[in-house]
Amino acid sequence: MTERVLPAASVIRRARRSDAEALSGFAARLFRDTYSSDTAASDLESYIDKNFSAERQEAEIVDPSAAVFVAMVDYLIIGYAHVVVRSADGRSALLNRIYVDAEWRGSGLAGRLLDAVIDESGQRGVAHLELTVFERNSRAVAFYKRVGFAVIGSATFMVGEDPQTDVVMQLDLIERLNGRSA
């Protein structure tokens, strides 16, 4: 795989309702590509049907407690991120997904998507950003460690009927945002 440099014309923006159909196909394709070797096809398709329909993507896009960002090149989605402010006091958020097309991995796109999530979370007064990542997704785990997330535990993640183990990670946003302004 040759890693590519993002073209100057690439853009990261808030997702729109009109992106739901394309986002659905993109997310399903990446999930399938990433996890098909570790998950039975029936469990994989069950998860995709439940989580990546166009209707589900539209609901995530319009959810006021969430933000979905898409990375675009020439009107094509090449990555996206989904964050949800989830605590009653609004002080923590869940980074639900950062997906980057294989062709664009290593281009800095994941970091740019994470920056958009961090900026959004900071504007909402979030103190901690948490995520879960499949324990066998070593590339993603390494990326999150490199950008400052710390492992705080593990959790069971159901893919269809298949219980899988996820690593739970957390990033202190107050420290990170204060470090930026210093």
Side-chain angles (χ1 to χ4, degrees):
M1 173 180 70
T2 304
E3 294 179 348
R4 296 176 66 176
V5 175
L6 283 173
S10 67
V11 64
I12 293 176
R13 63 165 171 78
R14 288 292 285 261
R16 304 176 189 122
R17 277 189 156 126
S18 60
D19 295 320
E21 188 73 35
L23 192 54
S24 169
F26 177 83
R29 179 175 58 82
L30 262 65
F31 194 85
R32 205 174 275 117
D33 290 351
T34 303
Y35 300 109
S36 62
S37 65
D38 294 303
T39 307
S42 60
D43 289 322
L44 195 70
E45 294 309 315
S46 172
Y47 183 86
I48 288 169
D49 290 346
K50 179 180 176 187
N51 291 282
F52 298 128
S53 68
E55 296 79 17
R56 175 75 179 259
Q57 296 313 297
E58 184 174 344
E60 290 177 358
I61 289 167
V62 301
D63 179 356
S65 70
V68 177
F69 298 94
V70 290
M72 311 285 295
V73 169
D74 297 329
Y75 303 102
L76 293 174
I77 297 174
I78 61 168
Y80 88 107
H82 176 222
V83 62
V84 181
V85 177
R86 63 183 183 162
S87 63
D89 66 1
R91 300 293 289 159
S92 73
L94 173 67
L95 176 55
N96 199 30
R97 294 181 199 102
I98 289 185
Y99 285 6
V100 173
D101 191 271
E103 186 177 340
W104 297 97
R105 291 181 189 147
S107 68
L109 181 56
R112 288 182 54 202
L113 284 163
L114 181 60
D115 287 344
V117 165
I118 289 171
D119 289 345
E120 177 76 19
S121 298
Q123 290 171 22
R124 293 183 187 217
V126 170
H128 295 97
L129 186 59
E130 291 185 6
L131 62 84
T132 63
V133 58
F134 186 42
E135 66 182 350
R136 294 186 200 159
N137 190 342
S138 57
R139 183 179 183 109
V141 171
F143 166 75
Y144 291 125
K145 285 181 178 178
R146 189 170 57 254
V147 297
F149 280 86
V151 174
I152 61 168
S154 64
T156 299
F157 184 82
M158 296 300 295
V159 178
E161 298 296 317
D162 182 18
Q164 297 183 352
T165 302
D166 276 7
V167 176
V168 179
M169 303 179 86
Q170 184 177 66
L171 178 66
D172 181 332
L173 290 184
I174 295 173
E175 183 178 297
R176 173 127 176 183
L177 291 169
N178 286 340
R180 272 195 197 173
S181 60

